[in-house]
Amino acid sequence: MKFLYLLFIGILTMSFISCGNGNAADTSNSNAVSTYTSGGNYKRISQTPDPNRKLENLDVKLKIEGMPNGTFYLMGIFAEQYFLVDSLRPVNGVVHFKRDEPVTPGLYYALYPDRSTAIQMIIDADQSFTLSTVDGDIVNSMKVNGSKETEMLYESMKFELGMQPEFNRVGAAFQNLQVGSAEHNALIEEQKQLMDKKVAHLESMFRKDPKSLFTAFKEAGQNPNIKYDFETNGSLSTAYLAELKKEYWTNTNFDDPRLMRTPVISNKLEKYYGSIMPQQPDSIKKYTDILINQCLNNDEYYKYFVNWITLKYEPTKTSLMDAEAVFVHMIQNYFTKERAFWQDTVQTYGIQMRAYEMASSLVGQVGPNVTADGIDGKTYSINDIKTPYIIVYMWNPECEHCAEQTPKLVDLYNNQSPKEFEVYGIAVNTEDDKWRDAVKKYGMPWISVFDPTNKAIYAKYYVDNTPELYILNPERKIIGKNLKVNQVYTIIDRDKEKRGN
């Protein structure tokens, strides 16, 4: 047998891993609300197992009536990355995954040869067991012998499959109902009763074996119970989402490393930052700190969360206006010499320097002053400009996007009436003759400066890609960045409205 680590990027997707009953961790179902109480009152049932417990050697037999021909794959998962544990063909109608040592506890999948179906199993201390089922009816036909954990998993799956028609009926009935109507309120109550029934069943299973991976996995996958509250347009209210955001991780046991080897943690992260978290830097920073502070003593969770969140808000990979604010916060607080234990000091220094270069030009801060030589040989400073608003425009003569945006900015500048903004144009990463030729070519009517050493702007206005456009308001605070020319007046008008102008 071969033991290979192989990322199945683009091959495995959560849509078929669930064996036809939705996401096994319940974290992708936006309508799932459990009976867990909000306000920090829920007492988590799952307990961390003894790390020194004896693990059996892997010995899993899979029997499928109507088994397809071809090679089956035993897959594991770490966070969101899948890896291959073993691959083999059936012998006498049995796929027998066997090793002379245990695998790391977690959720595993026996993947069909055509990758259309993945049979789930929980592997913890019990690693010698048999699964028997029928092709096309995997869950309802499943019989487990030798693994209490996997037996519990399929008991819960069967129960939830039995309830699914009722959930579907109620979900469909919500369509076109007026929020606050008697019918709408009655459906909310009916849905709550269904969830109460589902969670009561789960909790009864949890209490039978609180140290099991099944309990930790399924419990972490339940959303906290917060009474539904809707806006008049039918969307979930801001108050509901705020409470959900606060309580979202209540049932997750960050002392249990086994959860990192299930999809529940990565699924919860995707949902938390994708649909629950307001895409505003202050909110992201606040609730990220709360999350990470819960796992400071667990290296695996800490490293994963810190890297995942930092990469998500890496400025070139997100459309968030001030992604640098989140990125800088993450680097300065978590990628430190003391905390980034997985990096060497050179790597840490490099990323800290990048954050330093960004830190002075975050939205809401006073824009730093820049002083440099203009096209006429005179010295010009941002702080000397008197117009209500200032556009700091960093560009390069050979940049294709600059060639597109610069003429638009010239038109916008020339058509001001009255004049509300001045442009402080900074040529970067170029040569003197190219800068002068481009200023003449575009007919730039504003202040144009160039510092061949880049010292004038270093660690002041961060530019990752050109053109880069910042807007400063009358207090010279940065109110917009990473903008296109057609967004300039949107930002200025929004600021004027806040001022009552």
Side-chain angles (χ1 to χ4, degrees):
M1 294 184 185
K2 295 181 180 179
F3 184 71
L4 302 174
Y5 280 92
L6 175 66
L7 300 185
F8 269 36
I9 303 301
I11 297 177
L12 279 172
T13 63
M14 292 310 299
S15 61
F16 65 79
I17 282 174
S18 57
C19 295
N21 73 315
N23 185 287
D26 294 338
T27 56
S28 65
N29 181 359
S30 61
N31 294 320
V33 180
S34 76
T35 58
Y36 299 140
T37 55
S38 61
N41 294 323
Y42 176 66
K43 302 299 182 184
R44 194 176 61 232
I45 297 171
S46 64
Q47 300 172 14
T48 306
D50 178 6
N52 297 316
R53 67 197 184 286
K54 176 69 174 176
L55 305 182
E56 297 176 341
N57 291 343
L58 180 70
D59 189 351
V60 175
K61 295 176 182 176
L62 177 61
K63 302 176 181 179
I64 306 172
E65 185 179 323
M67 178 179 286
N69 294 321
T71 301
F72 281 73
Y73 306 91
L74 182 63
M75 305 296 301
I77 182 172
F78 181 83
E80 72 271 22
Q81 295 185 333
Y82 295 87
F83 58 87
L84 182 66
V85 178
D86 203 352
S87 61
L88 49 84
R89 299 174 67 88
V91 176
N92 298 324
V94 178
V95 180
H96 191 182
F97 298 110
K98 185 176 175 64
R99 296 178 61 203
D100 293 331
E101 59 182 338
V103 294
T104 305
L107 189 71
Y108 288 77
Y109 308 89
L111 185 64
Y112 265 35
D114 65 357
R115 299 174 178 84
S116 63
T117 302
I119 299 175
Q120 300 181 49
M121 62 191 82
I122 292 179
I123 301 182
D124 192 14
D126 295 333
Q127 300 198 10
S128 177
F129 57 89
T130 301
L131 304 178
S132 303
T133 189
V134 176
D135 183 38
D137 188 27
I138 299 294
V139 174
N140 283 319
S141 300
M142 180 63 70
K143 292 181 175 56
V144 181
N145 183 17
S147 172
K148 182 179 178 182
E149 299 259 9
T150 303
E151 187 175 356
M152 293 169 72
L153 177 65
Y154 280 93
E155 179 186 338
S156 71
M157 285 182 178
K158 291 173 185 177
F159 181 83
E160 290 168 18
L161 274 178
M163 293 193 68
Q164 197 62 50
E166 286 297 294
F167 278 110
N168 292 342
R169 178 186 59 78
V170 172
F174 271 110
Q175 301 300 317
N176 302 318
L177 285 182
Q178 178 66 40
V179 173
S181 67
E183 294 87 351
H184 192 271
N185 291 337
L187 280 175
I188 291 176
E189 181 58 31
E190 188 173 356
Q191 190 173 54
K192 180 181 182 301
Q193 290 174 6
L194 287 173
M195 288 307 306
D196 286 351
K197 181 179 178 181
K198 173 188 171 183
V199 176
H201 176 79
L202 280 174
E203 288 186 351
S204 69
M205 298 181 72
F206 296 165
R207 290 191 175 91
K208 290 177 184 176
D209 195 351
K211 291 187 178 182
S212 69
L213 176 52
F214 166 82
T215 295
F217 170 57
K218 292 293 287 185
E219 187 175 40
Q222 306 307 305
N223 286 335
N225 181 38
I226 304 159
K227 184 177 179 181
Y228 275 138
D229 183 42
F230 294 90
E231 306 289 0
T232 55
N233 64 4
S235 63
L236 292 168
S237 71
T238 302
Y240 172 88
L241 292 172
E243 188 70 9
L244 178 61
K245 181 176 55 190
K246 185 174 71 171
E247 300 295 329
Y248 187 68
W249 296 94
T250 301
N251 353 332
T252 305
N253 185 355
F254 291 117
D255 292 323
D256 193 335
R258 299 173 300 179
L259 290 179
M260 286 294 294
R261 286 158 180 83
T262 76
V264 69
I265 299 299
S266 61
N267 285 351
K268 285 176 76 83
L269 270 178
E270 288 285 355
K271 183 174 179 180
Y272 194 54
Y273 286 93
S275 59
I276 295 174
M277 182 76 69
Q279 292 306 294
Q280 302 165 351
D282 287 346
S283 290
I284 294 169
K285 290 188 293 183
K286 174 183 175 180
Y287 287 98
T288 292
D289 288 346
I290 292 172
L291 171 60
I292 292 178
N293 283 334
Q294 294 179 69
C295 57
L296 286 176
N297 296 323
N298 188 300
D299 286 351
E300 274 192 353
Y301 284 100
Y302 176 82
K303 177 183 176 181
Y304 177 60
F305 285 161
V306 166
N307 279 283
W308 191 96
I309 297 164
T310 304
L311 286 173
K312 180 175 179 63
Y313 294 102
E314 203 279 329
T316 62
K317 295 181 173 65
T318 176
S319 59
L320 186 69
M321 177 186 284
D322 198 21
E324 287 93 341
V326 179
F327 188 81
V328 167
H329 179 81
M330 295 301 297
I331 300 304
Q332 291 182 339
N333 287 277
Y334 302 114
F335 281 86
T336 62
K337 210 168 41 173
E338 297 76 21
R339 287 183 164 181
F341 57 86
W342 59 93
Q343 295 188 151
D344 60 36
T345 54
V346 174
Q347 290 174 312
T348 300
Y349 176 78
I351 199 168
Q352 283 285 340
M353 286 304 296
R354 189 176 178 211
Y356 168 73
E357 291 168 3
M358 296 178 181
S360 295
S361 54
L362 307 179
V363 170
Q365 296 180 175
V366 173
N369 186 38
V370 174
T371 300
D373 291 339
I375 201 94
D376 56 4
K378 297 179 181 178
T379 299
Y380 292 88
S381 296
I382 290 177
N383 284 355
D384 292 336
I385 298 172
K386 304 303 182 186
T387 52
Y389 294 89
I390 299 172
I391 292 175
V392 180
Y393 184 65
M394 289 175 287
W395 62 285
N396 178 280
E398 298 171 286
C399 156
E400 290 183 11
H401 294 296
C402 300
E404 174 194 346
Q405 290 292 305
T406 301
K408 295 178 181 179
L409 186 57
V410 170
D411 288 344
L412 195 72
Y413 184 94
N414 288 335
N415 290 319
Q416 295 181 86
S417 181
K419 186 173 182 179
E420 289 191 287
F421 65 84
E422 181 59 77
V423 175
Y424 190 87
I426 307 171
V428 295
N429 299 328
T430 186
E431 299 168 6
D432 190 79
D433 58 335
K434 292 179 180 178
W435 163 56
R436 293 179 183 276
D437 289 345
V439 170
K440 186 181 297 183
K441 170 186 173 183
Y442 292 118
M444 293 182 180
W446 51 69
I447 299 169
S448 293
V449 301
F450 173 55
D451 175 7
T453 67
N454 283 333
K455 289 181 180 178
I457 63 167
Y458 178 70
K460 292 183 178 179
Y461 292 93
Y462 183 76
V463 54
D464 205 358
N465 294 298
T466 53
E468 181 66 83
L469 193 155
Y470 289 78
I471 301 179
L472 313 185
N473 72 1
E475 283 77 42
R476 298 314 183 228
K477 288 185 178 179
I478 299 170
I479 58 171
K481 62 191 293 188
N482 305 326
L483 299 169
K484 301 292 186 184
V485 171
N486 62 5
Q487 297 172 298
V488 166
Y489 270 115
T490 300
I491 301 299
I492 289 177
D493 289 345
R494 186 185 302 162
D495 186 72
K496 288 164 66 176
E497 186 176 338
K498 288 179 181 178
R499 298 167 177 280
N501 294 344

